[in-house]
Amino acid sequence: MTALGDLLIARIARTGPLSVAEYMAECLMHPDHGYYATRDPFGVAGDFTTAPEITQMFGELIGLSLAQAWMDQGQPSPITLAELGPGRGTLMADALRATKGVPGFHAALSVHLVETSPTLRQAQAKLLPDATWHDHVETLPDAPLFLIANEFFDALPIRQFVRDGNGWREKVVGVTDGKLSFGLSAAAPLALLEDRLTDTKDGDLVEHCVGLPAITASISTKIAAFGGTALIIDYGDWQSQGDTLQALKAQAHVDPLTTPGDADLTAHVDFAAIAAHASPARFSRLTGQGVFLERLGITGRAQALAAKLSGDALTSHIAAHRRLTHPAEMGELFKVISIYPVTAQPPPGLEP
């Protein structure tokens, strides 16, 4: 058991079982032993690899989509170019490089990063020294907001509930024989999930992302008031159904309870919940990442880059394009949705 695991076992002995959300929050962001608080987990040498780390094309196309949205909205100035959970800063750096030639765009923008990990802030500062950092999305400036959230919502803590008649039993983390274990609370009605009684049956598990409503509402309120657009890219589907909690360590799946604080914990994103909190702005049609990137011209960009490559570099480049776009890889598992003003259209690559 890890040091954090020992602390959690002692805490449960004192105060009782933890919700899955409380467990995730401690595992990911405990100040001394939390996964994101203590390491850089990205890349081949880390525990997982995100799209910006696979190829520069991803960040380039995201940046150009937002730059075009900025032009379509009349080139407002000044604007906030923001990213939630920006990893090492790779995506934002690629987006900025790709948009250097867009007249007036860089002069209008300031870069803002929402990041709570001290370790990752240090990595981001190497690529983006002029950025401003925030702990919460609520403190982003009151200005037109052009925002990126790539694999951000999947890391937000979730609660899990199992239907029991017209009530719900919450899945919790307790202790059995000195080890962390899952259990269920007593059944009770839950107003939070009243609408899910129509599309579930006894024994079905649904997930609720605790922080999603407030974060989405904050983004939507700024965009509705000042303009801009948000591109949200993550794995998941239109509505939560089933247990999607997973742990990754050294590029492999592990038991979520075995090494708390030493493995990444994520869950699929419920995009219907994002749409439900997009008012007073609008949301686009949910689109597979592969289709989105193809609409933005990733194949043409890939061919242009391939012309300068050979050998292993070319093989790796071709594999990166496939990984991002093919339905059997990230192309369908990952989805894209945007939030934009009622007076505007969604950014390029997406439909109303």
Side-chain angles (χ1 to χ4, degrees):
M1 183 56 65
T2 62
L4 179 60
D6 291 337
L7 291 175
L8 294 177
I9 288 172
R11 174 178 166 181
I12 291 167
R14 293 193 309 271
T15 61
L18 306 174
S19 69
V20 173
E22 291 172 323
Y23 176 73
M24 284 185 70
E26 291 290 348
C27 288
L28 296 177
M29 291 311 303
H30 186 282
D32 298 319
H33 306 291
Y35 183 77
Y36 284 111
T38 57
R39 75 200 69 204
D40 174 355
F42 298 97
V44 175
D47 292 319
F48 57 89
T49 304
T50 59
E53 303 292 337
I54 294 171
T55 169
Q56 69 188 63
M57 296 185 292
F58 186 79
E60 290 173 348
L61 293 173
I62 296 296
L64 291 169
S65 178
L66 290 180
Q68 184 62 56
W70 171 75
M71 289 190 287
D72 292 343
Q73 292 186 32
Q75 303 182 21
S77 181
I79 66 168
T80 300
L81 182 63
E83 185 174 0
L84 309 185
R88 292 173 173 165
T90 305
L91 192 163
M92 182 63 78
D94 289 340
L96 290 170
R97 185 184 63 256
T99 55
K100 273 186 178 180
V102 179
F105 187 56
H106 281 213
L109 68 82
S110 58
V111 174
H112 293 258
L113 307 176
V114 178
E115 178 62 71
T116 57
S117 166
T119 301
L120 291 177
R121 282 192 180 194
Q122 290 179 7
Q124 293 153 16
K126 294 177 182 177
L127 288 179
L128 306 162
D130 296 327
T132 300
W133 281 264
H134 302 257
D135 289 329
H136 307 285
V137 69
E138 291 81 6
T139 62
L140 290 172
D142 288 339
L145 175 62
F146 293 82
L147 180 140
I148 307 161
N150 179 61
E151 293 198 55
F152 170 78
F153 282 93
D154 67 272
L156 296 180
I158 57 160
R159 295 172 70 185
Q160 293 184 317
F161 301 91
V162 177
R163 183 169 173 182
D164 187 334
N166 288 325
W168 300 89
R169 294 159 64 89
E170 182 162 11
K171 193 171 180 180
V172 295
V173 178
V175 178
T176 302
D177 297 329
K179 296 181 179 180
L180 295 171
S181 61
F182 286 117
L184 292 172
S185 69
L190 194 64
L192 178 70
L193 297 177
E194 189 71 28
D195 62 321
R196 300 307 304 272
L197 294 176
T198 60
D199 67 346
T200 57
K201 61 183 184 301
D202 274 10
D204 283 350
L205 185 147
V206 299
E207 296 172 339
H208 170 71
C209 182
V210 178
L212 182 151
I215 292 171
T216 305
S218 181
I219 294 168
S220 303
T221 300
K222 286 185 186 294
I223 288 174
F226 304 104
T229 193
L231 277 173
I232 299 168
I233 307 150
D234 228 312
Y235 64 95
D237 218 325
W238 184 246
Q239 199 164 51
S240 161
Q241 183 81 18
D243 185 353
T244 71
L245 178 68
Q246 64 177 10
L248 276 175
K249 183 176 176 63
Q251 309 282 333
H253 292 278
V254 297
D255 187 322
L257 300 182
T258 301
T259 56
D262 282 346
D264 183 36
L265 296 180
T266 65
H268 283 207
V269 174
D270 183 343
F271 283 94
I274 292 175
H277 294 89
S279 179
R282 300 177 66 187
F283 62 91
S284 69
R285 187 176 306 178
L286 187 64
T287 303
Q289 177 178 286
V291 171
F292 171 69
L293 293 175
E294 291 294 357
R295 288 174 178 171
L296 294 179
I298 191 172
T299 295
R301 177 60 174 152
Q303 291 169 341
L305 290 172
K308 305 173 184 176
L309 302 174
S310 62
D312 290 345
L314 178 59
T315 300
S316 177
H317 175 65
I318 293 170
H321 174 262
R322 175 186 169 86
R323 186 170 178 187
L324 289 188
T325 61
H326 197 280
E329 300 205 32
M330 296 174 72
E332 270 302 309
L333 174 63
F334 280 73
K335 308 288 196 305
V336 188
I337 198 170
S338 66
I339 297 172
Y340 57 98
V342 295
T343 56
Q345 292 296 309
L350 298 174
E351 299 173 330

